[in-house]
Amino acid sequence: MKGTLGPETVSTKLQRIAELARRAPGMALTTLAHNIDIDFLREAHRRTRKDGAAGVDGQTAADYAGNLEENLEALLEGFKSGRYRAPPVRRVHIPKGDGTKTRPIGIPTFEDKVLQRAVAMVLEAVYEQDFLDCSYGFRPGRSAHQALQALWDGMMEMGGGWVVEVDIQGFFDSLDHGHLRGFLDQRVRDGVVRRAIDKWLKAGVMQGGELVHAGGGTPQGGVVSPLLANVYLHEVLDKWFETEVQPRLKGRGFLIRYADDFVVVLSAEEDARRVMDVLPKRFGRYGLTLHPEKTRLVPFQRPTSGTPGGKADPQSFELLGFTHHWAKSLRGRWFVKRKTAPSRFGRALQRVGEWCRRNRHLPVAIQQQSLAQKLKGHYGYFGITGNAAALGGFFYEVKRVWRQWLDRRSQRAKMAWPRFEMLLERYPLPPPVVVHSVYRSTANP
């Protein structure tokens, strides 16, 4: 690969951008696009997932790599000259919640992903200097489990309180372009970069052979979309909560946000009801709507020792796929416990069942390998301290579903449980394992 300077040079450029943004927090940066050169695009290509679905042009990552240097040179020239045309994204729908509803996902072309990755790298270097600690989604070095840890720590220290559980209706589809441009103006005014972002916002969606241009939103699934969403909610929610809400609280309070999922935890009921009342107005000002049924105020105080039967109040809330509720430890202390949310449990099991149905005639060894990978993936996210019962339940249900579909492979050879248990000895599935110790050892109840 001729002229390659490697990721170190790109890293140096990103560090320089970050340092400039950090030293001038209130300044709009006007010269950023010059950092994106052929080496920068090579690094963006390296960071772009190669196993994703193809966009509207049908071109795969392997197809693009077959003529990589020429493709990147043409992409760079089009980006810098303004001749690059952002193709529409291909829209698909994936199951949402309990599987009865779907979420639209936009799939850009592979070349578009590469350019979006390059621009996102530049924007990330700028905005990582601005984003607040309450934000965890789609940020380098941050994860959903860190958000869960921060939430747990805050609630345990506060002894619970009042939780404002929020659901933004169709956030990625209703994000207002005018407000987004205004937010970007505060930090990024490079004409080449902004022109590319505008093209992506206006590219439209291809669904069922029909091109649709929406007046707002950013396709959920685009490489640059999560960062633009973070910029939007940083202004609408994070900064507002830190500068306007927290100074006016009578008690304590904190915000935990992962992309467009967030909760506000407050110690005083009066504060919680005021926040609950003002949130729809605040979001409505920026073209966003809160779901009237899914947005709710949850009493979540630590139960007293006199709670009848030693049981916690049934109130609970969900965040990031977990149901959060109070429970008693073996030492008799109340602590915030989390378990796999029923909707996520059911959806994951449904996917396993569908896979077993479609692949029941494959050799058992191949089925075992795939199911083992699916279980390890499930444990990789839901395998947190305190969730053993749900993990065990999922392990059992996966075995039950697998046996059920193996039983239907033949009318003659039935897969009764004793026979299935013998099969599991030869083709074992991985048992539940705790991957993430959410509770710090010093606070382990």
Side-chain angles (χ1 to χ4, degrees):
M1 193 175 288
K2 59 183 180 180
T4 300
L5 298 178
E8 292 80 15
T9 299
V10 173
S11 176
T12 301
K13 289 182 177 181
L14 293 176
Q15 290 174 7
R16 190 182 305 119
I17 296 170
E19 182 62 24
L20 178 61
R22 183 164 49 249
R23 289 182 177 179
M27 184 177 74
L29 306 181
T30 58
T31 55
L32 294 170
H34 70 279
N35 292 286
I36 301 178
D37 55 16
I38 193 64
D39 295 297
F40 204 98
L41 284 184
R42 289 191 188 111
E43 177 63 11
H45 172 266
R46 188 187 70 82
R47 297 188 187 188
T48 302
R49 283 186 55 184
K50 310 300 190 294
D51 58 349
V56 294
D57 61 356
Q59 187 179 48
T60 65
D63 296 335
Y64 195 81
N67 199 22
L68 182 60
E69 286 302 303
E70 289 78 2
N71 286 334
L72 293 181
E73 290 282 2
L75 178 60
L76 180 62
E77 194 281 329
F79 168 66
K80 293 293 182 71
S81 67
R83 285 193 289 269
Y84 180 76
R85 298 182 63 184
V89 299
R90 181 170 67 89
R91 172 158 287 181
V92 297
H93 293 266
I94 62 173
K96 176 182 178 181
D98 59 3
T100 59
K101 297 181 179 180
T102 61
R103 173 184 285 112
I105 296 292
I107 303 175
T109 64
F110 183 78
E111 182 169 73
D112 216 24
K113 292 177 184 177
V114 173
L115 186 56
Q116 286 192 33
R117 175 63 63 194
V119 171
M121 288 160 60
V122 171
L123 295 178
E124 185 178 89
V126 174
Y127 281 103
E128 275 301 309
Q129 317 315 311
D130 298 347
F131 290 157
L132 304 179
D133 285 342
C134 62
S135 168
Y136 290 87
F138 303 105
R139 294 183 58 190
R142 294 196 152 215
S143 69
H145 291 99
Q146 289 177 336
L148 291 168
Q149 179 70 58
L151 176 62
W152 190 85
D153 288 343
M155 289 192 297
M156 289 297 294
E157 181 184 356
M158 190 183 292
W162 295 79
V163 177
V164 181
E165 184 181 10
V166 182
D167 183 274
I168 307 175
Q169 284 187 309
F171 170 70
F172 283 90
D173 290 331
S174 55
L175 184 150
D176 184 89
H177 290 174
H179 288 304
L180 176 60
R181 292 187 183 98
F183 297 150
L184 290 171
D185 282 343
Q186 299 175 28
R187 284 301 256 160
V188 178
R189 293 186 186 175
D190 182 290
V192 177
V193 171
R194 292 294 299 274
R195 182 172 58 207
I197 294 174
D198 276 345
K199 288 181 178 181
W200 289 322
L201 294 177
K202 298 175 182 177
V205 174
M206 186 69 73
Q207 182 172 345
E210 181 180 355
L211 179 60
V212 178
H213 290 278
T218 177
Q220 191 172 1
V223 176
V224 78
S225 294
L227 197 148
L228 296 179
N230 269 338
V231 170
Y232 204 88
L233 288 177
H234 171 72
E235 296 291 340
V236 173
L237 177 63
D238 302 354
K239 283 176 59 178
W240 169 75
F241 184 79
E242 183 179 80
T243 61
E244 300 293 331
V245 176
Q246 281 189 316
R248 292 175 170 82
L249 295 178
K250 293 187 175 180
R252 291 183 294 168
F254 64 92
L255 163 71
I256 298 293
R257 180 175 69 81
Y258 189 95
D260 60 327
D261 292 328
F262 71 93
V263 294
V264 181
V265 183
L266 301 141
S267 62
E269 179 180 359
E270 180 181 351
D271 290 336
R273 295 196 179 280
R274 288 171 58 200
V275 170
M276 185 73 177
D277 180 61
V278 76
L279 269 178
K281 303 171 186 175
R282 173 68 182 179
F283 277 74
R285 178 180 172 185
Y286 294 96
L288 301 174
T289 304
L290 303 186
H291 196 292
E293 297 176 359
K294 296 181 180 179
T295 299
R296 62 194 186 111
L297 182 59
V298 182
F300 201 75
Q301 297 90 348
R302 189 198 309 268
T304 62
S305 58
T307 303
K311 296 182 179 180
D313 187 278
Q315 289 282 13
S316 63
F317 67 94
E318 292 187 9
L319 182 70
L320 298 175
F322 289 91
T323 297
H324 304 253
H325 62 99
W326 287 101
K328 259 191 177 181
S329 71
L330 295 177
R331 300 177 186 176
R333 301 173 183 171
W334 289 108
F335 71 104
V336 178
K337 187 174 182 180
R338 65 281 313 277
K339 63 181 180 181
T340 308
S343 60
R344 294 291 291 271
F345 188 102
R347 189 170 66 192
L349 188 61
Q350 182 182 28
R351 287 199 298 263
V352 170
E354 291 172 352
W355 187 92
C356 289
R357 176 182 61 81
R358 293 194 307 268
N359 298 280
R360 64 185 183 275
H361 295 298
L362 291 177
V364 172
I366 294 179
Q367 293 189 48
Q368 182 265 348
Q369 292 174 4
S370 295
L371 288 174
Q373 290 178 348
K374 295 180 188 301
L375 280 169
K376 289 178 181 177
H378 187 84
Y379 303 154
Y381 185 77
F382 291 102
I384 67 173
T385 307
N387 197 31
L391 295 178
F394 188 76
F395 179 57
Y396 171 81
E397 290 297 328
V398 168
K399 292 190 293 183
R400 182 187 63 79
V401 169
W402 191 25
R403 187 207 68 82
Q404 171 187 321
W405 285 108
L406 288 176
D407 188 54
R408 298 185 183 184
R409 295 210 304 180
S410 170
Q411 293 294 328
R412 292 178 296 176
K414 293 292 183 180
M415 184 61 68
W417 267 107
R419 184 183 173 202
F420 180 63
E421 290 174 350
M422 293 176 61
L423 180 143
L424 285 176
E425 291 181 3
R426 183 175 180 183
Y427 302 102
L429 295 177
V433 60
V434 173
V435 178
H436 306 278
S437 181
V438 177
Y439 311 137
R440 297 172 180 168
S441 57
T442 56
N444 198 358

